[in-house]
Amino acid sequence: MFVLRGYCAEHGALWHGEKVTSDHHRPTDPCPSCGQTQTCDVHWEEPRPFDGGDIDRIASEYGPDGGCNVFPGGVPGPFNPRLVIFVDHPDIELEDIIRKIRSRIRKHMRGMRTEELILVSRHQFTMQRMFGLREKFGMLVRQWRFMDASFAPLIQFRNESQGWVRNYESSHHLMFMPYGGIIDV
């Protein structure tokens, strides 16, 4: 998958907004965005998948407020109620993501609560491509909360720089009592 980058005479900078994509590298004259010849400064770029350095950098954003578990490639360790999934990792497929989320739902129902599920991609369009969606991430969230409405009160889809973020907060929260116990609100 390639994405068109640069400056289009008609549409301006192609870094933001609707992405022009192609499954193969194509000529850039005429411009694939506007069709003009010899006027645009555009090029095809293949989005780079996440590597270990990217994962460490993004996971460290969550260090000050409790840390996180990372998928894929996380170091085995104690269960953390926050799970960060790197959608653009080269070793991950949609089935792996679904399998991991189902595992967390089962743990959640047994008492190992998942409070935050954060899915990170390099770009918005790569997240959409992974899940085969345009902007309907809410239907995924409803599927994941089907068995237990309290699963992951915050589910977030974001790109690496947080320039694009979609938050889905549950209306079903658990309230912890100061002297022990849980009230289902």
Side-chain angles (χ1 to χ4, degrees):
M1 171 67 72
F2 295 90
V3 65
L4 191 64
R5 297 287 194 197
Y7 187 84
C8 172
E10 187 174 314
H11 296 110
L14 298 175
W15 299 102
H16 306 291
E18 186 68 25
K19 304 293 183 236
V20 178
T21 61
S22 173
D23 288 331
H24 58 277
H25 196 276
R26 300 183 347 208
T28 55
D29 198 25
C31 175
S33 180
C34 70
Q36 295 182 39
T37 57
Q38 299 181 347
T39 57
C40 301
D41 183 20
V42 297
H43 63 278
W44 291 104
E45 187 177 293
E46 189 168 25
R48 184 176 60 85
F50 286 121
D51 60 25
D54 297 321
I55 290 172
D56 291 343
R57 178 179 47 79
I58 293 169
S60 71
E61 293 175 15
Y62 301 103
D65 63 345
C68 62
N69 290 132
V70 171
F71 181 76
V75 177
F79 179 85
N80 191 296
R82 179 185 292 134
L83 174 63
V84 179
I85 297 176
F86 290 89
V87 173
D88 290 347
H89 194 278
D91 299 331
I92 197 170
E93 301 284 331
L94 178 58
E95 296 79 26
D96 301 322
I97 295 171
I98 300 303
R99 194 171 20 258
K100 184 64 168 182
I101 291 172
R102 285 180 180 154
S103 167
R104 288 297 284 237
I105 291 170
R106 286 190 298 273
K107 287 178 182 179
H108 184 84
M109 292 173 71
R110 290 192 312 260
M112 295 178 75
R113 317 269 329 148
T114 296
E115 299 298 326
E116 293 181 28
L117 178 61
I118 300 160
L119 294 103
V120 183
S121 65
R122 184 70 70 186
H123 306 280
Q124 174 185 353
F125 76 90
T126 57
M127 180 80 72
Q128 292 168 330
R129 184 182 65 203
M130 174 61 85
F131 290 105
L133 301 170
R134 293 287 293 157
E135 284 291 325
K136 306 267 187 205
F137 293 107
M139 66 185 213
L140 287 175
V141 171
R142 285 190 296 280
Q143 286 177 339
W144 298 338
R145 289 183 179 147
F146 174 73
M147 294 299 289
D148 188 333
S150 69
F151 175 71
L154 172 65
I155 297 178
Q156 182 180 83
F157 299 86
R158 59 168 271 207
N159 65 6
E160 67 176 317
S161 65
Q162 293 192 30
W164 170 76
V165 178
R166 294 291 182 272
N167 288 326
Y168 294 88
E169 297 183 32
S170 174
S171 59
H172 192 287
H173 295 283
L174 296 176
M175 193 174 185
F176 293 91
M177 298 300 294
Y179 300 105
I182 300 174
I183 297 176
D184 200 3
V185 181

